[in-house]
Each structure stands twice: as structure tokens, then as C-alpha cells.
Amino acid sequence: MTASDRTGSPDRPADMTAHRQVRVEITYGRGGLDEEIDFDAKILAISAAAELAGMHPQTLRQYDRLGLVEAGRTPGGGRRYSARDVSRLREIQRLSQDEGVNLAGIKRIMDLEREVQAIRAEAQAVVEELQRARRQLAELRALAGPFGRSTDIVLWRGEQ
């Protein structure tokens, strides 16, 4: 360990200044490979989430208070974070340190990203409904056959 490794910053104490490699191993339960992984499950303690995000737990608490990330709570009141939260924390750190965006700006960016996601989901639902309606129309046209019934009114005068 060099002298520079022993010095830290407020966001990175001495033991976290060196880049840490984290290995995640996924084991599958009885469901096998078909089982989905829940990246939103609040399972990481604050110390684990902070280490994975490369920041001090106190910084994580501050981000929680500001609403940049939302922790789940244990019955005893302890904070729990998800893998998606850790990813969000890394993005907050990148925007802050690399891009020079302040925390209010980061909060606004994240709020706008959530709005865009909601609009995309709504648009996707509308597209799926339109596709369903088109399929139903095609089925109805197929049932009518090539001669389809006409709804035109024709006056019949008989033979004259």
C-alpha cells in the first residue's frame, strides 16, 4: 500500500481509494435458468451498497435524504439497497465527479429519466393495443370471406 492509497477523500476513505473488483456469482434455485433475477430486491446493507458503489456510507445516507436513491427498511430501521440502486449510485457519482453536475441537477436529470421511462411504457401499451385491434380486424375480415356482406340498400322494383 502506498502513501497515496492511505489518503482518502470525504467520499472515499483510505480503504476505498483503490479500485475494487467485485465478483458476483449467481446460483439458480429449483426453477433453474428460467428463474428471473430481481434487480430491485432491497437486499444489500448500506455498507455493502456503499462499497459496491465506491463511496462512503455517509454519502449514501445523504443521497437517501435528498431523494436521489430510496432505501428499503428492515423491521429494525436499517437501510437496504438493491443492485439497481447501486447502479444508480454509480451514475450519480459519475455525473457529479466526471460531468460536474451538482446534486440538484442530478435529481432533476433522474426525475426526467423516470418521466421518459413512464411515457415510453405508456406508448408501448398503446402500440400493443393498436396491434391487437388490427389483428382482430384482420380476423373479422377473414371471417367475412372474399364476398363479404354488403350493407348497401338496393331498391328492387321487380319485373316491369
Side-chain angles (χ1 to χ4, degrees):
M1 180 183 270
T2 66
S4 63
D5 289 336
R6 285 189 286 271
T7 61
S9 68
D11 284 343
R12 292 176 189 246
D15 64 335
M16 289 188 189
T17 54
H19 177 70
R20 292 182 186 245
Q21 184 175 12
V22 177
R23 178 180 162 183
V24 177
E25 186 174 317
I26 300 171
T27 57
Y28 296 97
R30 295 180 189 177
L33 295 176
D34 294 335
E35 226 177 271
E36 285 196 29
I37 299 168
D38 186 2
F39 290 99
D40 293 315
K42 305 282 187 175
I43 57 173
L44 298 169
I46 190 167
S47 58
E51 184 171 345
L52 289 170
M55 61 181 57
H56 193 278
Q58 191 60 36
T59 304
L60 212 161
R61 287 184 189 95
Q62 179 185 7
Y63 291 169
D64 190 7
R65 282 191 297 272
L66 293 172
L68 293 172
V69 67
E70 191 174 320
R73 296 290 181 159
T74 64
R79 289 177 166 92
R80 291 290 184 259
Y81 296 92
S82 68
R84 196 170 316 277
D85 291 332
V86 171
S87 176
R88 187 174 296 124
L89 289 166
R90 287 178 177 168
E91 180 64 9
I92 291 167
Q93 193 169 41
R94 186 191 69 77
L95 287 169
S96 175
Q97 293 176 358
D98 298 344
E99 304 294 330
V101 181
N102 65 20
L103 294 179
I106 292 171
K107 182 161 177 37
R108 182 68 178 139
I109 288 168
M110 296 180 102
D111 289 344
L112 289 171
E113 285 176 345
R114 277 193 279 280
E115 284 181 39
V116 167
Q117 281 181 332
I119 290 169
R120 282 184 177 157
E122 189 177 327
Q124 182 62 34
V126 169
V127 166
E128 289 171 3
E129 180 65 23
L130 179 61
Q131 289 172 340
R132 187 186 64 74
R134 284 182 176 165
R135 281 192 303 273
Q136 285 180 338
L137 180 60
E139 289 172 8
L140 290 172
R141 284 184 175 155
L143 286 174
F147 300 106
R149 293 187 179 161
S150 173
T151 57
D152 294 340
I153 297 176
V154 177
L155 294 176
W156 179 261
R157 295 189 182 183
E159 290 186 41
Q160 291 185 0

